[in-house]
Structure formats: structure tokens, C-alpha cells
Amino acid sequence: MISVSGDVYLIIGGNGFLGKVIVKLLIEKVHDISEVRLFDKVIQEDHVESLQALVGSRVKLTMFKGDLRDKEVLQKACQGVTCAIHTASVIDLWGKVSKEEMETTNVEGSHLLLETCIQQNVKCFIYTSTVEVVGPNIRGDPICNGDEDTDYISEQTTLYSKTKYAAEQLILRANGSPLPNGEQIVTSALRPMYIYGENSRFMLHDLDVGIINGNVLPRTSRKEALVNPVYVGNVAWAHVLLARAMKEEDKKRIVGGKFYYITDDTPHMSYSDFNHELMHFLGLSIPSKLPIPLLLMYFIAYIIDMLWLLIRPFIKSVPKQNRHFLMILNTKFTFTSHKARNDFDYIPLYSWEVAKEKTTTWLASVIQERREFLNKK
């Protein structure tokens, strides 16, 4: 176990896909935590019960139900906290969420949380960012095994990437800010690749699409458009290790104010082929080629985008595809985690073989339920 003395961890988004795993690893791997606090808009009772059974009386568990923009609840949640891990955000690549909602939650909410942490003498603040704050840019320029020093013309082309980048930067700039008790806050950000694993709603969506399509997964990305997804357990582990480094005098000076890409040994492949790799055993197949040439797909997406801008004020639905999403799916975009390993000893906790087994076991456990649900719709 990692040795930590009496720390109080606050996990914002603690009931979410990533937050749940961070909480579990903190309880299992970190010694002498006095309390773990979960802050989320929704608190699932079954999740709370499973955590209580895991910790017994060894660690105090506290739940805070609230919104990031609720100053009063944040003040209560942050009192006495040693380390805040901020995983919560509104994720939207399709334009379903309003600009106001994205900005007030992802940027203003993060800013309010940061200010509250500083007021309450929280020593460490970790922000869960995303590789999308880098790109791909509008030209689809590729990156092959990039790192934090890779020269790339980044363009945040969606509200999601813009708001995540804005929040990341304001949090990194706050590193070293004075606390009322005379100490300084240490802030860092993690930029994981596309996160997969048990309970991923994006994987469930892709599974549903394949079932609806007659057990055929749609090919939306070229085979050559390699990316390197990362298992949720390894992303959670990176948060735990970074929190440890922030407590050590020699390392907190290194990690403070920095961002880090988080990857693991998941094979590099396209998004479409990755889905097939994890779902083919369920009887789902995938075409070998895109249904139409990629340039034509971009042209159609462009026309749809233009039409949608004209009719958006009058309808609530949004297109299932857009140019930016096509760019993400069809651009080679891979990174390494060498800097995270050098600066705070990040080594993936789960191998690809274990991550694949855990993910496919979960998929096998839910497919019948998904088939029945979709048949009723």
C-alpha cells in the first residue's frame, strides 16, 4: 500500500465512470486515509453500499450531493480536505448541450471549485483534462507517439474542447497560489486518451448501435487512423500516483503546474477496430472499409453542419455526425506517458490482457439486457 497519513480526499464526480474507480483504488491502495468524500449531482445508493462494505470502519465515507456551481455545498465539501480530484464535466461532442451550460459547468464551476479549495487550505488539486484539448486540429494533422513537448498547432474546435482547455489552464496557472494558512496549493492536470472499460456509456452506445444494425458495428474510421485508448483503471491509478507525488517535497515542485498525457499498453488501432476487438466475441462484425470515401463523408458532414446551423433555433435534435467528430475518428493521434513515468512514477496498474478481460466480461454481462431494452423501444 501507498503510505499516506490521515489524508482527506474529495472526488468531484465521484459517482461517475472514472470517479468510481479512483475512489475504489484510493480505498484499496492507499494507507491511512482518514476520509474519502464523493461529490456528485447524483449519488447511487448501491454504489455507496458497495463502498461501505469495502472500507468497513477503516475509512470514513461522506457523500455530498450537489452541483459544481453551488457555492454553499462546495464550501462544506472542501472543509478539511487534503487533496481534491476534479473529474466532473459536461461531455458533448455533438452540440446537444447549450453553450451556457457547457461554460458555466466546465469553466465557471471549475473556477469556483478551485477558489473554494484555496479558501479552505486544500493543498493539492488534480484536474482530469482530456487529449481533446490538443486536437486533432481542423486540418487533421496527425501525431505519432507525441508527448508534452510535441510541437502541434492545437485548435479547440468544439465547446467541449474549448471549455476543458480553459478550465485546465486556469487550474494550472493557479499552481503555487498562497493559501490562508501560509502554504501554497499544488495543481496539476492529466490528459488521458479515450477512456474505455466497465460501465463506459460510450461503449454501451456503440454496442447498442451494433445491435440495432443487425449485429454489425458501423465503420466510421479508417484502419490507418491509429489511436491509443487507455483503460479506466490505469487512468484512475495515475490520479492516485500523482496525488502521492504532490505530497513529497522533491516531487511536488516537479509536477506542480504541469499537464501529463496518460496512456497504457492498449494496442494502437482505429476507434472502429478497437470496438470490434472488444465486441467481436459477442457476435458483432464490422465492414473492412468505410461505406463511402472519406472525402465524401467530410463533404456530407459539412453540408449537414451548415443546414443544422440554419434550422438549429427551431429543432431540438442534433446530427449524429459532424466534421469534428469525423476528424477525431479518422486522424492518427497517439501519445506516450514517458513524462508521467519520469515525474511521478506512473506505470499502468493493469496490463492490456487484464483490461481486455475485465472489459469484455462486463460487455458479456450486459449484452442480453441491452438487446431486451432495444427490442422494447
Side-chain angles (χ1 to χ4, degrees), residues 203 206-207 210-211 214-219 223 267 269 271-287 352 356-357 359-361 363-364 367 371:
M203 295 193 74
D206 292 336
L207 177 62
I211 293 172
N215 293 324
V216 178
L217 294 165
R219 177 169 288 283
K223 286 182 174 292
M269 58 185 83
Y271 284 109
S272 293
D273 291 300
F274 182 69
N275 275 339
H276 186 237
E277 177 69 20
L278 292 177
M279 299 180 189
H280 70 86
F281 79 102
L282 298 171
L284 277 71
S285 62
I286 190 170
W352 158 240
K356 181 179 180 180
E357 180 182 0
T359 305
T360 53
T361 298
L363 287 169
I367 188 168
R371 291 189 192 277

Side-chain angles (χ1 to χ4, degrees), residues 153-377:
I153 301 176
S154 300
E155 296 165 342
Q156 291 79 43
T157 56
T158 65
L159 268 176
Y160 174 63
S161 58
K162 288 176 181 177
T163 55
K164 289 293 286 185
Y165 183 73
E168 176 197 272
Q169 292 303 300
L170 71 87
I171 289 164
L172 293 180
R173 287 194 299 268
N175 181 66
S177 296
L179 302 176
N181 64 4
E183 299 186 67
Q184 294 180 334
I185 191 170
V186 182
T187 67
S188 294
L190 298 179
R191 294 179 177 178
M193 306 299 105
Y194 165 70
I195 308 174
Y196 71 93
E198 307 94 294
N199 302 309
S200 164
R201 63 187 177 97
F202 295 107
M203 295 193 74
L204 278 181
H205 172 267
D206 292 336
L207 177 62
D208 287 352
V209 171
I211 293 172
I212 294 171
N213 200 35
N215 293 324
V216 178
L217 294 165
R219 177 169 288 283
T220 53
S221 54
R222 303 172 298 158
K223 286 182 174 292
E224 305 82 34
L226 304 181
V227 292
N228 52 330
V230 60
Y231 180 58
V232 63
N234 290 325
V235 179
W237 183 233
H239 285 75
V240 174
L241 293 175
L242 180 55
R244 178 186 68 176
M246 286 178 159
K247 288 176 57 64
E248 301 176 7
E249 287 297 327
D250 58 333
K251 288 189 176 179
K252 72 180 183 181
R253 295 187 181 91
I254 296 173
V255 302
K258 305 286 180 55
F259 67 85
Y260 296 90
Y261 294 113
I262 302 300
T263 68
D264 56 21
D265 65 346
T266 300
H268 295 198
M269 58 185 83
S270 75
Y271 284 109
S272 293
D273 291 300
F274 182 69
N275 275 339
H276 186 237
E277 177 69 20
L278 292 177
M279 299 180 189
H280 70 86
F281 79 102
L282 298 171
L284 277 71
S285 62
I286 190 170
S288 59
K289 298 180 179 179
L290 291 170
I292 58 176
L294 183 58
L295 284 177
L296 182 56
M297 292 178 71
Y298 279 130
F299 177 73
I300 294 173
Y302 173 77
I303 297 299
I304 293 174
D305 284 353
M306 294 301 103
L307 290 173
W308 182 62
L309 285 175
L310 293 174
I311 63 176
R312 184 177 183 179
F314 311 104
I315 63 172
K316 293 183 178 180
S317 61
V318 299
K320 295 181 179 180
Q321 193 66 274
N322 58 50
R323 286 177 296 162
H324 175 75
F325 200 46
L326 270 179
M327 191 70 71
I328 292 175
L329 295 174
N330 288 281
T331 301
K332 186 175 184 178
F333 221 60
T334 63
F335 291 80
T336 67
S337 288
H338 296 324
K339 187 174 181 180
R341 178 167 185 166
N342 292 336
D343 287 4
F344 60 92
D345 304 319
Y346 167 69
I347 297 176
L349 185 62
Y350 303 93
S351 67
W352 158 240
E353 290 75 20
V354 172
K356 181 179 180 180
E357 180 182 0
K358 286 179 173 289
T359 305
T360 53
T361 298
W362 165 68
L363 287 169
S365 73
V366 300
I367 188 168
Q368 187 57 39
E369 176 185 330
R370 301 311 299 174
R371 291 189 192 277
E372 292 174 359
F373 172 75
L374 293 170
N375 284 336
K376 292 178 182 178
K377 291 183 71 175

Side-chain angles (χ1 to χ4, degrees), residues 23-36:
V23 171
K24 185 171 182 291
L25 286 181
L26 283 171
I27 293 170
E28 290 179 342
K29 302 291 185 181
V30 181
H31 185 57
D32 287 341
I33 296 180
S34 62
E35 183 179 359
V36 176

Side-chain angles (χ1 to χ4, degrees), residues 109-162:
S110 296
H111 194 193
L112 179 60
L113 172 63
L114 177 64
E115 288 183 332
T116 306
C117 284
I118 291 174
Q119 293 167 7
Q120 296 294 336
N121 292 310
V122 177
K123 297 179 182 179
C124 308
F125 191 112
I126 298 174
Y127 180 65
T128 309
S129 188
T130 170
V131 68
E132 284 197 43
V133 303
V134 188
N137 58 30
I138 197 65
R139 292 173 298 282
D141 295 328
I143 291 180
C144 181
N145 294 328
D147 60 24
E148 290 77 1
D149 297 319
T150 298
D151 187 19
Y152 188 78
I153 301 176
S154 300
E155 296 165 342
Q156 291 79 43
T157 56
T158 65
L159 268 176
Y160 174 63
S161 58
K162 288 176 181 177

